[in-house]
Amino acid sequence: MIDTLDITGLVLAGGRGSRMGGVDKGLQTFRGLPLALHTLMRLQMQVGVSLINANRNLAAYESFGAPVWPDANNDYAGPLAGFLTGLEHCETPWLLTVPCDTPLFPLDLASRLAQAADEQQADIAMAAAPEDDGTGQITVRAQPVFCLLRVDLLESLVRFTQAGGRKIDAWTAQHRCVTVPFDMPGDDPKAFFNANTLAELQALERTAP
């Protein structure tokens, strides 16, 4: 089994927050705390070490008590840039990535991804969760920003991003990747709901259990 202490957790808070009007999404309030701090505290229960990837307001993020690392480049290159930053600074065999805007992600996320990666001898374990497909039908879809990655994938990701690659699934498809569905009885159907706008964040706070 993959030990908890062998996993470094990374909060991805380096985006532009475009759909929130350009505000720093990770510093918006959810249940009285900044989103990224809420996410960090939930993550720290599941991993050995935690890091934050942020590209602005670094002092605010540093006040949360975890090391903060910005992207190597400053063009807000998306989640893969955060993955790359995390892998560069990860000192454990595995890195677990979570976005700062999904504050209710499962408390057993790390253990279930780790179990699947171990059983399947995979390089990557990716969460999947029920979502409305837009027609009212519920389908289980991959949640690619929730990934458990072997740290030795760094070189592969450097090559992929240097060649202009930006899509997570295009990169993970190059490796042995297992998808882990979080649709069991007892799983919170809102666990992977991400707040892209301030209205969605407010709605999540009102309706979350």
Side-chain angles (χ1 to χ4, degrees):
M1 267 299 289
I2 299 168
D3 193 277
T4 298
L5 296 178
D6 287 334
I7 303 173
T8 295
L10 177 70
V11 177
L12 299 167
R16 291 184 186 276
S18 301
R19 283 179 281 184
M20 278 196 182
V23 301
D24 194 334
K25 187 186 289 188
L27 299 181
Q28 303 310 299
T29 301
F30 178 77
R31 293 180 174 170
L33 295 174
L35 260 177
L37 178 56
H38 201 287
T39 302
L40 177 66
M41 292 167 63
R42 203 169 180 89
L43 184 60
Q44 285 174 327
M45 294 187 272
Q46 305 187 43
V47 299
V49 183
S50 298
L51 308 173
I52 299 172
N53 167 232
N55 289 310
R56 49 183 167 159
N57 301 311
L58 300 187
Y61 285 105
E62 286 167 354
S63 73
F64 298 166
V68 179
W69 298 101
D71 296 342
N73 54 34
N74 58 4
D75 63 353
Y76 292 89
L80 276 185
F83 282 30
L84 187 58
T85 299
L87 289 172
E88 286 172 340
H89 296 284
C90 182
E91 298 181 359
T92 59
W94 294 88
L95 177 74
L96 174 61
T97 64
V98 299
C100 69
D101 62 358
T102 311
L104 303 177
F105 67 89
L107 291 170
D108 58 356
L109 176 72
S111 61
R112 286 165 70 173
L113 293 183
Q115 181 179 353
D118 186 57
E119 290 175 351
Q120 301 293 323
Q121 293 298 292
D123 298 314
I124 301 167
M126 181 187 297
E131 275 189 12
D132 190 322
D133 65 2
T135 68
Q137 297 295 311
I138 301 298
T139 57
V140 176
R141 292 182 55 189
Q143 307 290 322
V145 284
F146 290 89
C147 265
L148 181 68
L149 313 165
R150 286 190 190 274
V151 74
D152 56 14
L153 294 175
L154 173 59
E155 191 176 316
S156 163
L157 186 53
V158 169
R159 288 196 303 269
F160 182 80
T161 54
Q162 286 182 344
R166 291 288 184 94
K167 291 190 175 297
I168 298 173
D169 52 4
W171 175 64
T172 59
Q174 298 178 4
H175 299 279
R176 184 168 178 80
C177 179
V178 59
T179 302
V180 183
F182 283 76
D183 63 346
M184 304 287 286
D187 284 342
D188 180 1
K190 290 188 175 179
F192 290 92
F193 181 87
N194 65 308
N196 281 314
T197 67
L198 290 172
E200 287 177 350
L201 179 59
Q202 292 160 1
L204 182 61
E205 182 146 22
R206 286 195 307 271
T207 60

